[in-house]
Amino acid sequence: MSISRLFAIIKKEFIQIKRDKPSLVISIVMPLAMLFLFGYAVSTEVDHIPMAVFDQSKTQESRDFINAYRNSLYFNPDYYVDNIDELNNLIDTGKVKAGLIIPPDFSQYKNKMTNVLLKIDGSDPTTARTALSSGIMVAQYFSNKNTEKELAKKGMHIPNIGIDLSTKVEYNPDLNTLTFTIPGLLGLVMQNITIILTAFALVREKEKGTMEQLIVTPIKSVELMIGKLIPYILIGYTDFLMVLALSIYWFRVPVNGSISLLLLLGFDFIICALAIGMLISTAAKTQTQAMQGAFMVLLPTIILSGFIFPREQMPSVIRAISDVIPLTYFLDILRGIIIKGISANILLNQIIIMTSMGFALLLIAVLRFRKRLD
Amino acid sequence: MEYVIELKDLTKRFGNITAVDKLSIKVPSGKIFALLGPNGSGKSTTIRMICGIIKPTSGHGTVLGFDIVKESEKIKKSIGYMSQKFSLYEDLTVKENMDFYSSIYGLDKKEKVKREKIIIDMMELHNRENQIVGTLSGGWKQRLALGCALLHNPKFIILDEPTSGVDPVSRRLFWNTIKKLTSEGLSVLVTTHYMEEAQESDFVAFMFNGHLLTFGTPSEIIRENNSNNLEDVFIKYVNEHGGMDKL
Ligand SMILES: Nc1ncnc2c1ncn2[C@@H]1O[C@H](COP(=O)(O)OP(=O)(O)O)[C@@H](O)[C@H]1O
Ligand SMILES: [Mg+2]
């Protein structure tokens, strides 16, 4: 193998990337766009739910109750209405996601069982679930506090018996969605960029007919292959580092485990993506076909790898498909290292499977690629 | 005599099409050899077998004494090739293309500078070094293509329709260059549709439907066919073997 030939190919490839708008967009804009889109839009935290209030009591008691909702931070009871139609209308138009209906005799709650109604817009289940559980909690807490007070006035205490459940959330104590999404995004970005660019680059020579000239030179197919792949390994890896840096410093998602392990396994995963890109290129004749092929591969990986939907909930057939996607294992690894801070021996299964997949894919890709050259 | 190409029953089939049928030929070294024939007669396929781009279905052949199947790696070091369709990088500049191919052919830094200068002078590519190749017109692209094929100082160049769609000035430059290099020992295989170009060659062969119909010097062929020029011979062959509709 000749190093100067290798360098010539790498240099040529970089010049071509520099002059090719789509390649530039894919290698620079796409990772940033994906990071910020997913970072900001896919946040599933629900708080400050807009709420309408139909307060028929208009007493200090009812105002305290409404304030309890505001103070919980889950609700913004900013719409005060005077009749039930108005409240329904606000829910219909989507201005509010919840409506609190307080009866005229609310202030009597200290003496008798009083019924308050919380209406919730169920069309978005995520918001609705939060509104439901936190809405119940606020009322219960408010009610318990009062019961305690009333009992104390009568010189009584609630006996200190029963079950007091303490909870401790490990790894992501604030249940911050970003902490979960961003590590997965690292893998997704690296996968997409590497697969698309690799498939593109390898098909380009075929489509433009420049391969015909190359074949007549003393270049060896390994040189051509390695020379053409190195730039995309570098770009894929640079994007990985860029997204990693942004997630740490911009999105404040700390890496709890070993960074060097992360960097090493990132390289491991790039091999998988590279091989998939090569395989697509051996099946495609034009860059358009390569793009279509890439999307056909990428879409299922986004949906099935556990990036968005938990794999545990998948039907067994679908789950079996997700078992053969390298990204599935890399996501486990990323989340394991970044969120849980666990070490390689706990992730050994995933590492072994991902590495073997990488080598198997690479072997098939190289064999197919060489065959196409001859 | 030394032969640059020796082919024996060389055959190439694509599915049920026989593109080249039992082609046998011996071409002396240091000469310009023009391969003629209507479109689809198998010229490019023959060339692509000689260059090692595709493998023959059957038959044998040597180029510069090396077997075209078993020793194609050795052949590739000593030949230059211009394909029928322009196949340099359109998104690179003239200079970047030359740099790339110099490195691919393993020229060291000094040689590279020297050869590139020679080629730029030879093909009169001055002031175009930094132009993106895709913005060059046909004639200039072909000059660059010939230049790149000559960069590594090959012993034998193979040019597939190098002057199709090329302006007269570039065509003239082409032929002058080829002739000058032949006088210095280069062997040339060229396909063309221009009979005046064939006339200027040392040897000419006619191909039709994958068959070799005749081989010889232009004057021999004209004499054997009792014609005035190669054009008449060409038309006569086509009429005898299938009619003008096959052109
Ligand atoms: N890769 C290929 N696959 C199938 N048929 C081909 C291929 N290349 C050439 N042919 C066929 O072989 C015949 C000879 O083509 P070619 O060698 O290009 O002729 P020429 O160069 O003389 O115009 C044509 O019928 C052409 O269609
Ligand atoms: Mg042809």
Side-chain angles (χ1 to χ4, degrees):
Chain A
M1 192 151 66
S2 144
I3 297 297
S4 62
R5 270 210 283 263
L6 213 53
F7 271 114
I9 300 165
I10 294 170
K11 187 176 161 198
K12 183 217 84 180
E13 210 65 31
F14 270 117
I15 297 174
Q16 288 187 306
I17 297 166
K18 198 178 74 188
R19 302 221 174 108
D20 183 43
K21 271 238 178 66
S23 297
L24 270 186
V25 168
I26 290 167
S27 41
I28 298 170
V29 182
M30 195 159 127
L32 293 177
M34 279 177 71
L35 180 63
F36 285 99
L37 275 178
F38 278 102
Y40 285 114
V42 182
S43 160
T44 47
E45 249 119 298
V46 182
D47 45 21
H48 298 287
I49 300 164
M51 180 163 83
V53 181
F54 179 25
D55 182 1
Q56 304 171 72
S57 162
K58 295 203 162 72
T59 52
Q60 186 56 46
E61 283 82 3
S62 68
R63 280 190 293 275
D64 286 348
F65 186 59
I66 295 166
N67 260 335
Y69 273 88
R70 185 183 302 284
N71 294 339
S72 76
L73 299 182
Y74 282 108
F75 295 94
N76 277 1
D78 289 336
Y79 294 84
Y80 286 85
V81 298
D82 292 324
N83 55 61
I84 196 81
D85 290 337
E86 215 179 318
L87 184 135
N88 285 340
N89 186 36
L90 283 169
I91 293 182
D92 286 347
T93 55
K95 288 215 172 65
V96 300
K97 300 285 179 207
L100 190 62
I101 299 160
I102 300 171
D105 60 348
F106 180 78
S107 57
Q108 295 303 307
Y109 76 91
K110 289 174 182 167
N111 308 317
K112 60 172 191 153
M113 190 49 91
T114 304
N115 205 334
V116 178
L117 179 65
L118 179 65
K119 280 187 95 166
I120 293 168
D121 173 1
S123 48
D124 171 4
T126 317
T127 311
R129 249 192 303 268
T130 310
L132 192 63
S133 55
S134 49
I136 292 171
M137 238 159 50
V138 172
Q140 229 155 39
Y141 189 70
F142 189 85
S143 178
N144 285 351
K145 263 271 157 66
N146 173 62
T147 313
E148 238 171 84
K149 243 191 274 170
E150 292 302 309
L151 283 175
K153 268 190 215 160
K154 293 179 183 151
M156 295 195 279
H157 298 281
I158 299 176
N160 205 6
I161 52 171
I163 297 169
D164 179 22
L165 176 72
S166 308
T167 58
K168 181 168 188 307
V169 178
E170 289 279 10
Y171 304 135
N172 182 8
D174 312 331
L175 297 181
N176 185 343
T177 324
L178 273 185
T179 308
F180 180 70
T181 314
I182 298 260
L185 203 56
L186 265 172
L188 196 66
V189 164
M190 188 155 76
Q191 170 190 266
N192 292 5
I193 311 286
T194 314
I195 289 183
I196 296 177
L197 287 182
T198 311
F200 257 42
L202 294 177
V203 169
R204 190 159 45 209
E205 305 262 0
K206 238 190 304 184
E207 186 179 8
K208 305 271 183 209
T210 48
M211 194 61 112
E212 173 113 354
Q213 193 70 48
L214 276 179
I215 295 176
V216 184
T217 69
I219 201 168
K220 299 201 175 59
S221 50
V222 267
E223 291 167 347
L224 181 62
M225 200 162 52
I226 296 174
K228 283 191 77 82
L229 293 182
I230 285 177
Y232 301 99
I233 296 181
L234 289 178
I235 292 175
Y237 205 68
T238 309
D239 282 340
F240 174 63
L241 295 179
M242 180 174 81
V243 175
L244 182 62
L246 280 172
S247 25
I248 296 174
Y249 296 109
W250 182 270
F251 288 103
R252 304 271 162 208
V253 175
V255 176
N256 292 319
S258 151
I259 291 231
S260 40
L261 182 65
L262 195 64
L263 296 182
L264 184 74
L265 292 171
F267 192 77
D268 196 348
F269 179 66
I270 271 211
I271 302 295
C272 293
L274 206 65
I276 296 172
M278 281 175 81
L279 280 175
I280 294 172
S281 81
T282 57
K285 284 203 175 65
T286 63
Q287 294 195 49
T288 317
Q289 283 177 6
M291 193 62 162
Q292 286 161 350
F295 276 112
M296 254 161 57
V297 171
L298 294 183
L299 201 63
T301 65
I302 295 173
I303 294 170
L304 300 181
S305 62
F307 173 66
I308 301 178
F309 309 111
R311 282 195 337 125
E312 291 70 21
Q313 315 292 330
M314 291 175 185
S316 54
V317 181
I318 305 281
R319 198 163 167 185
I321 300 175
S322 79
D323 281 342
V324 298
I325 298 175
L327 183 62
T328 302
Y329 302 95
F330 192 48
L331 289 188
D332 277 354
I333 292 172
L334 284 168
R335 287 170 179 158
I337 296 176
I338 297 178
I339 308 174
K340 297 185 176 177
I342 54 182
S343 58
N345 51 354
I346 301 179
L347 291 164
L348 207 57
N349 254 336
Q350 283 90 336
I351 296 174
I352 290 172
I353 296 175
M354 187 176 81
T355 311
S356 332
M357 276 183 167
F359 277 107
L361 284 169
L362 194 66
L363 189 70
I364 302 169
V366 168
L367 290 178
R368 281 197 52 139
F369 187 77
R370 292 191 67 150
K371 215 168 132 211
R372 302 271 319 207
L373 268 188
D374 297 335
Chain B
M1 191 181 278
E2 207 180 312
Y3 297 102
V4 60
I5 310 173
E6 289 190 62
L7 306 178
K8 183 86 183 86
D9 292 333
L10 199 67
T11 302
K12 180 69 187 183
R13 273 190 282 275
F14 296 108
N16 55 359
I17 300 172
T18 305
V20 175
D21 199 1
K22 294 203 164 144
L23 184 79
S24 300
I25 200 168
K26 284 184 176 181
V27 185
S29 301
K31 307 284 182 200
I32 300 178
F33 165 47
L35 189 55
L36 312 178
N39 289 333
S41 56
K43 303 182 297 293
S44 297
T45 306
T46 306
I47 285 180
R48 298 176 84 225
M49 285 190 281
I50 288 175
C51 295
I53 299 169
I54 51 174
K55 290 197 169 71
T57 311
S58 62
H60 302 278
T62 61
V63 168
L64 296 164
F66 297 117
D67 187 280
I68 58 171
V69 177
K70 294 192 202 94
E71 299 174 298
S72 77
E73 293 311 312
K74 285 181 186 154
I75 295 174
K76 285 173 182 180
K77 289 198 177 79
S78 314
I79 62 169
Y81 170 61
M82 243 181 101
S83 68
Q84 184 170 349
K85 183 182 168 289
F86 183 74
S87 49
L88 297 177
Y89 297 98
E90 305 239 8
D91 46 356
L92 301 194
T93 65
V94 169
K95 179 87 168 45
E96 285 163 350
N97 267 291
M98 293 213 284
D99 285 346
F100 176 69
Y101 277 101
S102 307
S103 306
I104 293 300
Y105 278 107
L107 269 54
D108 65 34
K109 235 187 163 119
K110 234 175 79 188
E111 276 178 302
K112 183 166 145 181
V113 174
K114 194 178 122 208
R115 287 299 299 168
E116 285 185 7
K117 179 163 185 332
I118 292 175
I119 296 297
I120 286 171
D121 288 342
M122 193 188 284
M123 302 320 299
E124 297 173 9
L125 286 163
H126 315 274
N127 305 325
R128 305 232 174 210
E129 283 121 307
N130 296 318
Q131 191 169 340
I132 300 276
V133 169
T135 66
L136 291 173
S137 66
W140 290 98
K141 278 187 187 167
Q142 295 301 79
R143 288 188 190 198
L144 174 64
L146 179 59
C148 283
L150 290 169
L151 265 174
H152 57 296
N153 220 344
K155 294 198 187 84
F156 179 29
I157 55 170
I158 298 161
L159 315 171
D160 198 355
E161 295 192 26
T163 53
S164 290
V166 166
D167 61 278
V169 181
S170 297
R171 264 175 71 191
R172 198 64 259 154
L173 180 75
F174 245 82
W175 274 88
N176 289 343
T177 309
I178 293 173
K179 281 183 156 174
K180 183 171 157 281
L181 292 173
T182 323
S183 69
E184 292 163 8
L186 181 76
S187 306
V188 179
L189 162 55
V190 59
T191 68
T192 181
H193 287 301
Y194 297 106
M195 288 307 139
E196 68 269 29
E197 291 183 359
Q199 195 77 51
E200 290 189 58
S201 310
D202 301 307
F203 293 96
V204 171
F206 272 109
M207 266 190 97
F208 195 79
N209 273 345
H211 296 278
L212 183 74
L213 297 185
T214 188
F215 173 77
T217 64
S219 48
E220 270 171 18
I221 290 176
I222 292 169
R223 192 161 4 99
E224 279 167 15
N225 288 279
N226 297 319
S227 285
N228 299 321
N229 54 47
L230 278 176
E231 183 132 19
D232 291 346
V233 179
F234 187 92
I235 292 170
K236 188 180 139 210
Y237 275 128
V238 173
N239 284 334
E240 274 172 15
H241 289 88
M244 289 298 285
D245 55 322
K246 290 230 173 154
L247 254 180

